[in-house]
Amino acid sequence: MTTATPARRKSGLVPFLLITFATSWLSWLIAIAVGGPAMSFPTVIPYLLGAFGPMFGAIVIRLRRAFRRLPAPAHAVRLPLISLLWVPILLVVASGTVLAAVLIAQQLGGPAISPEAAQGLIQAAGGPAPFVATMLVFGPLAEEFGLRGTAHPRLRASMGRLLAGLLLGIIWSVWHLPLFFVPGTVQASFGLLTWSGLVYMLSVIPMALLAGYAYERAGVLGAIAIHFGVNTTMALAGVNSLLPQVSIVAVQAVVALALLAVHRDRRQPGGSPERQAATAPAAHPA
Protein backbone atom coordinates (compact mmCIF):
# COMPACT_ATOMS: atom_id res chain seq x y z
CA MET A 1 0.00 0.00 0.00
CA THR A 2 1.39 3.40 -1.00
CA THR A 3 0.94 6.89 0.43
CA ALA A 4 -0.37 8.31 -2.86
CA THR A 5 -4.02 8.28 -1.86
CA PRO A 6 -3.57 9.94 1.59
CA ALA A 7 -1.27 12.52 0.00
CA ARG A 8 -3.89 13.40 -2.57
CA ARG A 9 -6.55 13.68 0.12
CA LYS A 10 -4.36 16.05 2.11
CA SER A 11 -3.51 18.15 -0.93
CA GLY A 12 -7.01 19.63 -1.06
CA LEU A 13 -7.36 19.27 -4.84
CA VAL A 14 -10.70 17.44 -4.73
CA PRO A 15 -12.29 19.84 -2.19
CA PHE A 16 -11.02 22.77 -4.25
CA LEU A 17 -12.67 21.46 -7.40
CA LEU A 18 -15.92 20.67 -5.58
CA ILE A 19 -16.12 24.16 -4.07
CA THR A 20 -15.17 25.83 -7.35
CA PHE A 21 -17.71 23.99 -9.47
CA ALA A 22 -20.47 24.18 -6.86
CA THR A 23 -20.05 27.94 -6.39
CA SER A 24 -19.75 28.78 -10.07
CA TRP A 25 -22.32 26.39 -11.49
CA LEU A 26 -24.94 27.16 -8.83
CA SER A 27 -24.49 30.90 -9.44
CA TRP A 28 -24.73 30.50 -13.21
CA LEU A 29 -27.77 28.21 -12.93
CA ILE A 30 -29.45 30.96 -10.93
CA ALA A 31 -28.51 33.45 -13.66
CA ILE A 32 -30.06 31.13 -16.26
CA ALA A 33 -33.22 30.76 -14.18
CA VAL A 34 -33.54 34.53 -13.63
CA GLY A 35 -33.23 35.09 -17.37
CA GLY A 36 -32.21 38.20 -19.26
CA PRO A 37 -28.80 39.23 -20.60
CA ALA A 38 -25.77 38.48 -18.43
CA MET A 39 -25.05 42.14 -17.65
CA SER A 40 -28.65 43.16 -16.91
CA PHE A 41 -29.99 43.47 -13.38
CA PRO A 42 -30.55 41.18 -11.46
CA THR A 43 -28.93 38.50 -13.67
CA VAL A 44 -25.58 40.27 -13.44
CA ILE A 45 -25.24 39.44 -9.72
CA PRO A 46 -25.13 35.62 -9.92
CA TYR A 47 -23.38 35.84 -13.30
CA LEU A 48 -20.42 37.79 -11.91
CA LEU A 49 -20.44 35.88 -8.62
CA GLY A 50 -19.94 32.64 -10.52
CA ALA A 51 -16.71 33.92 -12.03
CA PHE A 52 -15.17 33.93 -8.55
CA GLY A 53 -15.73 30.21 -7.92
CA PRO A 54 -11.99 29.40 -8.26
CA MET A 55 -11.16 32.26 -5.89
CA PHE A 56 -13.61 30.97 -3.28
CA GLY A 57 -12.16 27.48 -3.66
CA ALA A 58 -8.63 28.80 -3.20
CA ILE A 59 -9.56 30.74 -0.04
CA VAL A 60 -11.23 27.72 1.55
CA ILE A 61 -8.27 25.43 0.78
CA ARG A 62 -5.77 27.94 2.17
CA LEU A 63 -7.79 28.32 5.36
CA ARG A 64 -8.11 24.54 5.60
CA ARG A 65 -4.36 24.08 5.16
CA ALA A 66 -3.56 26.78 7.73
CA PHE A 67 -6.02 25.31 10.24
CA ARG A 68 -4.50 21.83 9.84
CA ARG A 69 -0.96 23.24 9.75
CA LEU A 70 -0.21 21.42 6.53
CA PRO A 71 2.92 22.37 4.55
CA ALA A 72 2.67 24.27 1.27
CA PRO A 73 2.61 22.08 -1.85
CA ALA A 74 6.08 21.25 -3.15
CA HIS A 75 5.38 22.83 -6.54
CA ALA A 76 3.83 26.06 -5.28
CA VAL A 77 5.76 29.02 -6.67
CA ARG A 78 6.41 32.14 -4.67
CA LEU A 79 7.04 35.47 -6.35
CA PRO A 80 10.65 36.64 -6.01
CA LEU A 81 11.06 40.20 -7.30
CA ILE A 82 13.09 39.02 -10.29
CA SER A 83 10.01 37.14 -11.49
CA LEU A 84 8.31 40.49 -12.05
CA LEU A 85 10.56 40.84 -15.09
CA TRP A 86 8.65 37.94 -16.63
CA VAL A 87 5.27 39.69 -16.43
CA PRO A 88 5.73 42.13 -19.36
CA ILE A 89 7.36 39.36 -21.40
CA LEU A 90 4.41 37.05 -20.78
CA LEU A 91 1.97 39.84 -21.67
CA VAL A 92 3.74 40.25 -25.01
CA VAL A 93 3.72 36.49 -25.60
CA ALA A 94 0.00 36.25 -24.82
CA SER A 95 -1.00 39.18 -27.02
CA GLY A 96 1.46 38.14 -29.71
CA THR A 97 -0.06 34.68 -30.10
CA VAL A 98 -3.52 36.19 -30.63
CA LEU A 99 -2.37 38.91 -33.03
CA ALA A 100 -0.25 36.50 -35.06
CA ALA A 101 -3.13 34.04 -35.29
CA VAL A 102 -5.63 36.73 -36.33
CA LEU A 103 -3.26 38.01 -39.03
CA ILE A 104 -2.72 34.46 -40.32
CA ALA A 105 -6.50 33.96 -40.42
CA GLN A 106 -6.86 37.27 -42.25
CA GLN A 107 -4.45 36.08 -44.93
CA LEU A 108 -6.56 32.95 -45.30
CA GLY A 109 -9.72 34.95 -45.89
CA GLY A 110 -10.79 35.67 -42.32
CA PRO A 111 -12.07 39.03 -41.04
CA ALA A 112 -9.69 41.95 -40.62
CA ILE A 113 -9.03 43.67 -37.31
CA SER A 114 -11.26 46.73 -36.92
CA PRO A 115 -9.76 49.61 -34.89
CA GLU A 116 -13.18 51.26 -34.87
CA ALA A 117 -14.77 48.20 -33.26
CA ALA A 118 -12.03 48.07 -30.63
CA GLN A 119 -12.52 51.76 -29.87
CA GLY A 120 -16.27 51.23 -29.59
CA LEU A 121 -15.72 48.36 -27.13
CA ILE A 122 -13.56 50.57 -24.92
CA GLN A 123 -16.08 53.41 -25.04
CA ALA A 124 -18.92 51.03 -24.16
CA ALA A 125 -16.97 49.97 -21.05
CA GLY A 126 -16.67 53.62 -19.97
CA GLY A 127 -13.15 54.31 -21.14
CA PRO A 128 -9.70 52.64 -21.07
CA ALA A 129 -9.44 52.39 -17.27
CA PRO A 130 -12.83 50.67 -16.68
CA PHE A 131 -12.18 48.41 -19.69
CA VAL A 132 -8.80 47.28 -18.35
CA ALA A 133 -10.20 46.86 -14.83
CA THR A 134 -13.10 44.73 -16.10
CA MET A 135 -10.82 42.54 -18.23
CA LEU A 136 -8.44 42.11 -15.30
CA VAL A 137 -10.89 41.37 -12.49
CA PHE A 138 -13.51 39.19 -14.19
CA GLY A 139 -11.29 36.43 -15.52
CA PRO A 140 -7.61 36.65 -14.58
CA LEU A 141 -7.95 37.78 -10.95
CA ALA A 142 -11.16 35.83 -10.33
CA GLU A 143 -9.76 32.55 -11.66
CA GLU A 144 -5.95 32.36 -11.54
CA PHE A 145 -5.43 32.28 -7.76
CA GLY A 146 -7.51 29.13 -7.80
CA LEU A 147 -6.70 27.42 -11.10
CA ARG A 148 -2.96 28.03 -11.24
CA GLY A 149 -2.20 29.13 -7.68
CA THR A 150 -4.06 26.23 -6.05
CA ALA A 151 -4.87 23.44 -8.52
CA HIS A 152 -1.72 23.51 -10.69
CA PRO A 153 0.88 22.79 -7.97
CA ARG A 154 -1.28 20.02 -6.55
CA LEU A 155 -1.55 18.35 -9.95
CA ARG A 156 2.20 18.77 -10.39
CA ALA A 157 2.78 16.70 -7.27
CA SER A 158 1.93 13.57 -9.26
CA MET A 159 2.51 14.46 -12.94
CA GLY A 160 4.64 16.50 -15.31
CA ARG A 161 3.94 20.00 -16.59
CA LEU A 162 2.43 18.91 -19.90
CA LEU A 163 -0.02 16.43 -18.41
CA ALA A 164 -0.91 18.82 -15.56
CA GLY A 165 -1.59 21.60 -18.05
CA LEU A 166 -3.69 19.37 -20.30
CA LEU A 167 -5.76 18.02 -17.41
CA LEU A 168 -6.32 21.43 -15.87
CA GLY A 169 -7.21 22.75 -19.33
CA ILE A 170 -9.93 20.11 -19.69
CA ILE A 171 -11.25 20.90 -16.20
CA TRP A 172 -11.19 24.63 -16.99
CA SER A 173 -13.02 24.04 -20.26
CA VAL A 174 -15.80 22.02 -18.59
CA TRP A 175 -16.10 24.69 -15.89
CA HIS A 176 -17.28 27.16 -18.58
CA LEU A 177 -20.17 24.99 -19.81
CA PRO A 178 -23.10 26.77 -18.07
CA LEU A 179 -22.07 30.08 -19.67
CA PHE A 180 -23.29 28.77 -23.02
CA PHE A 181 -26.82 29.09 -21.60
CA VAL A 182 -26.49 32.60 -20.13
CA PRO A 183 -27.66 35.11 -22.77
CA GLY A 184 -25.21 37.88 -23.53
CA THR A 185 -22.03 35.91 -22.89
CA VAL A 186 -19.36 35.20 -25.50
CA GLN A 187 -20.07 31.50 -25.08
CA ALA A 188 -23.80 31.93 -25.70
CA SER A 189 -23.07 33.94 -28.86
CA PHE A 190 -21.13 30.95 -30.19
CA GLY A 191 -23.60 28.28 -29.11
CA LEU A 192 -22.49 25.01 -27.57
CA LEU A 193 -23.28 22.62 -30.41
CA THR A 194 -21.58 24.65 -33.12
CA TRP A 195 -18.08 24.56 -34.54
CA SER A 196 -17.29 27.90 -32.88
CA GLY A 197 -18.56 26.60 -29.54
CA LEU A 198 -16.54 23.40 -29.80
CA VAL A 199 -13.40 25.29 -30.83
CA TYR A 200 -13.92 27.66 -27.89
CA MET A 201 -13.97 24.67 -25.53
CA LEU A 202 -10.81 23.35 -27.17
CA SER A 203 -9.09 26.76 -27.08
CA VAL A 204 -8.99 26.73 -23.28
CA ILE A 205 -6.49 23.84 -23.30
CA PRO A 206 -3.48 25.52 -25.03
CA MET A 207 -4.21 28.65 -22.99
CA ALA A 208 -4.00 26.51 -19.84
CA LEU A 209 -0.59 25.22 -21.01
CA LEU A 210 0.63 28.79 -21.46
CA ALA A 211 -0.76 29.86 -18.08
CA GLY A 212 0.81 26.85 -16.37
CA TYR A 213 4.17 27.66 -17.94
CA ALA A 214 3.78 31.28 -16.82
CA TYR A 215 2.92 30.21 -13.27
CA GLU A 216 6.11 28.20 -12.97
CA ARG A 217 8.11 31.18 -14.25
CA ALA A 218 6.49 34.04 -12.33
CA GLY A 219 3.87 32.66 -9.96
CA VAL A 220 0.23 33.71 -10.06
CA LEU A 221 1.12 37.11 -11.55
CA GLY A 222 2.59 35.34 -14.55
CA ALA A 223 -0.58 33.32 -15.07
CA ILE A 224 -2.66 36.49 -14.69
CA ALA A 225 -0.50 38.16 -17.37
CA ILE A 226 -1.17 35.35 -19.85
CA HIS A 227 -4.90 35.24 -19.10
CA PHE A 228 -5.28 39.02 -19.29
CA GLY A 229 -3.18 39.35 -22.44
CA VAL A 230 -5.12 36.68 -24.32
CA ASN A 231 -8.60 37.81 -23.23
CA THR A 232 -7.98 41.51 -23.82
CA THR A 233 -6.35 41.07 -27.23
CA MET A 234 -9.11 38.73 -28.39
CA ALA A 235 -11.75 41.24 -27.29
CA LEU A 236 -10.05 44.18 -29.01
CA ALA A 237 -9.37 42.14 -32.15
CA GLY A 238 -13.01 41.13 -32.30
CA VAL A 239 -12.43 37.38 -32.48
CA ASN A 240 -15.94 36.03 -33.03
CA SER A 241 -15.70 33.73 -36.06
CA LEU A 242 -14.40 30.23 -36.65
CA LEU A 243 -11.25 30.81 -38.73
CA PRO A 244 -9.44 33.14 -36.30
CA GLN A 245 -10.54 30.88 -33.43
CA VAL A 246 -8.94 27.85 -35.05
CA SER A 247 -5.84 29.86 -35.87
CA ILE A 248 -5.47 30.99 -32.25
CA VAL A 249 -5.74 27.40 -30.99
CA ALA A 250 -3.04 26.27 -33.42
CA VAL A 251 -0.64 29.14 -32.72
CA GLN A 252 -1.00 28.92 -28.94
CA ALA A 253 -0.55 25.15 -28.98
CA VAL A 254 2.68 25.48 -30.98
CA VAL A 255 4.01 28.28 -28.75
CA ALA A 256 3.08 26.48 -25.52
CA LEU A 257 4.70 23.21 -26.58
CA ALA A 258 7.80 25.06 -27.78
CA LEU A 259 8.17 26.91 -24.46
CA LEU A 260 7.72 23.70 -22.47
CA ALA A 261 10.34 22.00 -24.64
CA VAL A 262 12.89 24.82 -24.46
CA HIS A 263 12.53 25.43 -20.73
CA ARG A 264 12.66 21.88 -19.48
CA ASP A 265 11.08 20.77 -16.22
CA ARG A 266 13.67 21.41 -13.54
CA ARG A 267 12.00 18.97 -11.17
CA GLN A 268 11.51 15.96 -13.39
CA PRO A 269 11.61 12.58 -11.65
CA GLY A 270 15.02 11.00 -11.90
CA GLY A 271 17.10 14.05 -11.12
CA SER A 272 19.33 13.98 -8.10
CA PRO A 273 17.85 15.35 -4.85
CA GLU A 274 20.73 17.80 -4.66
CA ARG A 275 20.03 19.17 -8.14
CA GLN A 276 16.29 19.34 -7.53
CA ALA A 277 16.83 21.17 -4.25
CA ALA A 278 19.25 23.58 -5.91
CA THR A 279 17.02 24.44 -8.86
CA ALA A 280 13.49 24.20 -7.41
CA PRO A 281 11.69 27.54 -6.84
CA ALA A 282 10.83 28.32 -3.27
CA ALA A 283 7.35 27.46 -2.06
CA HIS A 284 4.73 29.71 -0.58
CA PRO A 285 1.42 28.89 1.04
CA ALA A 286 -0.89 27.85 -1.75
Side-chain angles (χ1 to χ4, degrees), residues 50-117:
F52 288 87
M55 177 73 80
F56 294 142
I59 291 171
V60 171
I61 295 307
R62 279 162 171 74
L63 292 174
R64 172 181 178 268
R65 188 187 56 75
F67 179 76
R68 297 186 178 186
R69 297 183 179 180
L70 297 173
H75 290 266
V77 179
R78 69 178 176 88
L79 185 64
L81 291 179
I82 194 171
S83 291
L84 292 175
L85 298 175
W86 274 96
V87 172
I89 297 172
L90 293 167
L91 275 171
V92 171
V93 169
S95 296
T97 59
V98 175
L99 287 174
V102 170
L103 291 175
I104 291 171
Q106 183 178 329
Q107 293 301 312
L108 296 174
I113 296 175
S114 171
E116 293 78 14

Side-chain angles (χ1 to χ4, degrees), residues 4 106 196 248:
Q106 183 178 329
S196 286
I248 290 171

Side-chain angles (χ1 to χ4, degrees), residues 58 62 65 72-80 82-84 86-87 90-91 93 140 143-157 160-161 164-165 168 172 206-227 259-260 263 265-267 280-286:
R62 279 162 171 74
R65 188 187 56 75
H75 290 266
V77 179
R78 69 178 176 88
L79 185 64
I82 194 171
S83 291
L84 292 175
W86 274 96
V87 172
L90 293 167
L91 275 171
V93 169
E143 298 173 28
E144 291 304 330
F145 284 97
L147 294 171
R148 249 57 62 175
T150 303
H152 181 84
R154 286 162 172 81
L155 287 171
R156 289 284 282 112
R161 295 181 302 170
L168 190 52
W172 195 15
M207 187 172 164
L209 291 174
L210 285 174
Y213 169 86
Y215 173 75
E216 298 200 359
R217 290 287 147 188
V220 174
L221 284 184
I224 288 173
I226 289 288
H227 197 155
L259 289 173
L260 291 174
H263 297 275
D265 191 346
R266 292 176 294 181
R267 284 185 278 183
H284 78 109

Side-chain angles (χ1 to χ4, degrees), residues 228-254:
F228 175 78
V230 170
N231 281 7
T232 303
T233 309
M234 287 183 66
L236 293 175
V239 176
N240 55 15
S241 58
L242 183 60
L243 186 56
Q245 283 182 280
V246 172
S247 184
I248 290 171
V249 171
V251 170
Q252 290 189 342
V254 169

Side-chain angles (χ1 to χ4, degrees), residues 13 35 59 74 76 106 124 141 143-144 152 162-163 182 186 195 199 203-204 220 233 242 269 276:
L13 179 60
I59 291 171
Q106 183 178 329
L141 287 177
E143 298 173 28
E144 291 304 330
H152 181 84
L162 178 59
L163 185 56
V182 180
V186 172
W195 284 113
V199 172
S203 71
V204 178
V220 174
T233 309
L242 183 60
Q276 291 186 32

Side-chain angles (χ1 to χ4, degrees), residues 8-9 11-20 61 64 154:
R8 287 180 181 175
R9 286 188 189 135
S11 75
L13 179 60
V14 172
F16 165 76
L17 293 175
L18 290 174
I19 295 166
T20 296
I61 295 307
R64 172 181 178 268
R154 286 162 172 81

